[in-house]
Amino acid sequence: MTFALAMITDRLAFVAADRLYSGVGSLKGFAGTKIARLETADGQGLITYAGAGARADRKPFEVSEWIEGVLRGFNRTLNQSLHEIAAAAEEQGLDKHAPGHTFAYAGFVNGKAHVAVVTSRDQLRMRGKGGRPVNSTGPNRFRVVDFELEPRIHNFGVALGSGAEHMPPSAELEMIGRQARRANTKEAAADRLSAQFVRLNRGISKKEPATVGPEAVCAWTFAQGGGAHFAYDADGRRTNNTGVLPSVARGMPMTQFVDSLMALMETKGAPTDAGWASQEELDQLARSIDNRPRRKF
């Protein structure tokens, strides 16, 4: 299991998770990412998950990288992307090992705040005011559930995993949301949300040490685009080894693109007035990326 939170305010979408892969011996001591960044045909946001790390397969893999593999190759809308994840989760057999896996998305669609989940659970845990689930059916055990949000969202979130049982009352999260909204800048608001999540996660890890790790990773994106992500160690300090966040931008697996771009830059000297690479080189690089969807690892 895990502890993860997908949260929306009127300023930003915020997603965070602990970094422990519990019950996976081959990944003991490995700090998972548990977040992927999505840019779809109609918006952009972040997705996290709980439970899927248990997996039915014996071969371990980063589920956030699996999400990138599932969605690459096609410029889908968010709704299409979430249904693709649901179908792939069914095919991958994520629910065979233990029931109740959930992916949670927070972001913006056509400029409007949006929260949704892909889940095989019968019940969901929500925090904050301003949203209610909209029933959704599908052919698979994994189904997509969107949330109908009020016109002005102050603070609404979905808590996932074993750590969600230890979430504080809604009033505390509403207070956190108010603090974030009153920040002078949207960057400061994101920093405040990160600090609060890291504090919550460390406390919950002490109560659920077998399934929730004290390390954390937090990511955010703004309604106008942009954003950042940072990792935190067991003492709550920001670390320098955050790494690249698995990302798919309108079907392009950005992790692969960035890795290939860095390799190209290493073959070059100092940048010219036109930059590190020509447009022709960038186009050729984009064409060389493997865009074939990969549902099964």
Side-chain angles (χ1 to χ4, degrees):
M1 296 295 285
T2 192
F3 173 50
L5 180 68
M7 182 175 171
I8 198 86
T9 75
D10 52 3
R11 306 184 75 174
L12 55 87
F14 177 83
V15 168
D18 81 309
R19 308 196 71 184
L20 176 67
Y21 269 115
S22 57
V24 185
S26 58
L27 292 178
K28 186 176 181 180
F30 176 77
T33 303
K34 298 189 179 181
I35 298 173
R37 187 179 299 276
L38 306 183
E39 181 184 340
T40 61
D42 54 357
Q44 42 85 28
L46 299 151
I47 189 167
T48 185
Y49 63 87
R55 298 175 308 277
D57 295 351
R58 293 182 179 179
K59 180 181 178 182
F61 59 86
E62 269 267 41
V63 179
S64 53
E65 294 178 1
W66 172 82
I67 292 172
E68 185 184 60
V70 167
L71 297 181
R72 69 188 185 187
F74 294 94
N75 184 20
R76 299 181 177 91
T77 64
L78 174 66
N79 184 265
Q80 290 169 336
S81 298
L82 295 179
H83 278 88
E84 188 68 15
I85 291 173
E90 191 86 7
E91 183 177 332
Q92 182 72 47
L94 295 183
D95 209 38
K96 291 179 181 178
H97 198 68
H101 300 328
T102 302
F103 299 84
Y105 171 90
F108 301 90
V109 176
N110 295 321
K112 296 182 179 179
H114 195 93
V115 174
V117 300
V118 177
T119 185
S120 60
R121 294 184 65 87
D122 295 325
Q123 295 181 336
L124 299 172
R125 182 177 292 270
M126 295 157 286
R127 284 289 185 257
K129 297 180 180 179
R132 66 180 183 86
V134 179
N135 292 331
S136 178
T137 59
N140 302 318
R141 168 67 174 162
F142 283 88
R143 67 194 188 282
V144 177
V145 181
D146 290 299
F147 289 85
E148 183 178 328
L149 304 180
E150 292 180 357
R152 186 178 182 185
I153 292 298
H154 290 176
N155 172 20
F156 178 78
V158 180
L160 313 176
S162 55
E165 301 299 325
H166 302 285
M167 282 288 289
S170 295
E172 181 168 340
L173 283 187
E174 291 171 13
M175 178 270 294
I176 294 172
R178 286 196 298 271
Q179 288 182 346
R181 290 199 311 277
R182 291 170 181 169
N184 292 332
T185 66
K186 56 189 180 183
E187 289 79 12
D191 284 341
R192 288 185 180 183
L193 289 176
S194 295
Q196 294 289 354
F197 178 84
V198 170
R199 177 183 63 82
L200 284 174
N201 184 70
R202 291 175 64 206
I204 290 173
S205 177
K206 293 178 181 179
K207 299 176 182 178
E208 292 282 346
T211 60
V212 178
E215 296 177 286
V217 58
C218 302
W220 55 89
T221 186
F222 307 118
Q224 297 79 17
H229 71 282
F230 289 104
Y232 300 82
D233 65 18
D235 295 320
R237 296 183 296 248
R238 186 178 291 179
T239 65
N240 294 324
N241 62 341
T242 303
V244 177
L245 198 68
S247 305
V248 57
R250 297 176 177 263
M252 171 65 73
M254 295 307 296
T255 306
Q256 294 181 44
F257 183 82
V258 171
D259 288 345
S260 298
L261 181 59
M262 293 300 293
L264 174 63
M265 290 170 60
E266 289 178 358
T267 67
K268 293 177 170 290
T272 64
D273 293 338
W276 282 103
S278 67
Q279 186 61 49
E280 182 180 356
E281 287 176 315
L282 292 176
D283 291 341
Q284 183 178 357
L285 186 64
R287 290 192 295 268
S288 70
I289 300 299
D290 184 1
N291 273 340
R292 293 171 296 177
R294 186 183 182 190
R295 282 189 169 191
K296 298 204 70 174
F297 274 51

